[in-house]
Amino acid sequence: MNEQKERTMVIGIIGENCSGKSTLANEIQRTIGAEVITGKDYLRMAKSESEATALFKEKLRSAINKENIIYIIADQEHIGFLPDGAVKVLVTADIDTIKERFKERMHGNLPAPVEQMLERKHGLFDSEAVDYRFDGVNGNAAALCRLLQDRIAV
């Protein structure tokens, strides 16, 4: 009898604000089952930022062989939190879509300084070495989920 065993993984969903990271993370979570951690949520793990960072990095490192975790990353410095063996997915969207989504988030108003900030940050992650690139506007989340399922099936 050949029993199939599943591996676990840490997945970093990387991208700009309003590129579609959370939507993709939710689809992956439904498909493979995973804890989703967003941005700086890890700061709740301890009273000091340095202690919380250390605890979070250890949680991610130990999760590689124990559980599925999806970490949604919008800040470049947080990519370094991902342990060796983590799967990196870059989510992209064109600047007009990002502006429109951000405007919706801000109840129909996109102040000029916010628009300028979005423009400055656009493409920030484009040169990042990743395992998968996902179009946050027209991408096929189900197809990416199947690829991830294939990675965890042994």
Side-chain angles (χ1 to χ4, degrees):
M1 180 181 235
N2 193 2
E3 247 181 72
Q4 196 170 34
K5 189 172 111 179
E6 282 196 353
R7 295 182 335 178
T8 57
M9 69 172 76
V10 172
I11 303 168
I13 306 287
I14 304 162
E16 299 170 48
N17 292 320
C18 296
S19 60
K21 298 180 305 297
S22 294
T23 302
L24 178 60
N26 290 336
E27 184 68 25
I28 294 170
Q29 180 186 37
R30 278 191 294 279
T31 302
I32 67 169
E35 176 183 0
V36 176
I37 301 167
T38 304
K40 294 184 179 181
D41 283 354
Y42 68 89
L43 292 175
R44 296 184 196 132
M45 295 178 78
K47 290 184 180 186
S48 77
E49 183 172 352
S50 61
E51 185 181 353
T53 300
L55 288 170
F56 183 56
K57 286 180 178 179
E58 177 56 28
K59 176 183 176 88
L60 292 176
R61 190 194 63 70
S62 66
I64 288 286
N65 297 314
K66 294 181 185 169
E67 60 187 308
N68 292 325
I69 294 181
I70 300 169
Y71 181 35
I72 301 174
I73 301 170
D75 294 311
Q76 261 189 322
E77 65 269 13
H78 292 166
I79 295 171
F81 290 6
L82 294 171
D84 289 342
V87 174
K88 295 179 186 176
V89 179
L90 175 63
V91 179
T92 60
D94 61 90
I95 189 65
D96 291 333
T97 298
I98 289 173
K99 287 179 185 179
E100 192 56 40
R101 289 175 177 174
F102 211 92
K103 184 178 177 180
E104 288 173 23
R105 241 190 221 177
M106 298 185 78
H107 309 290
N109 181 32
L110 186 63
V114 174
E115 183 175 7
Q116 292 166 355
M117 179 269 303
L118 292 172
E119 288 172 353
R120 271 193 318 274
K121 288 187 166 190
H122 187 63
L124 182 66
F125 299 105
D126 287 356
S127 62
E128 191 66 39
V130 296
D131 299 288
Y132 302 99
R133 293 181 179 271
F134 182 79
D135 181 334
V137 179
N138 299 307
N140 184 337
L144 179 59
C145 288
R146 283 191 298 278
L147 291 171
L148 294 171
Q149 280 181 309
D150 289 347
R151 278 184 88 131
I152 61 176
V154 176

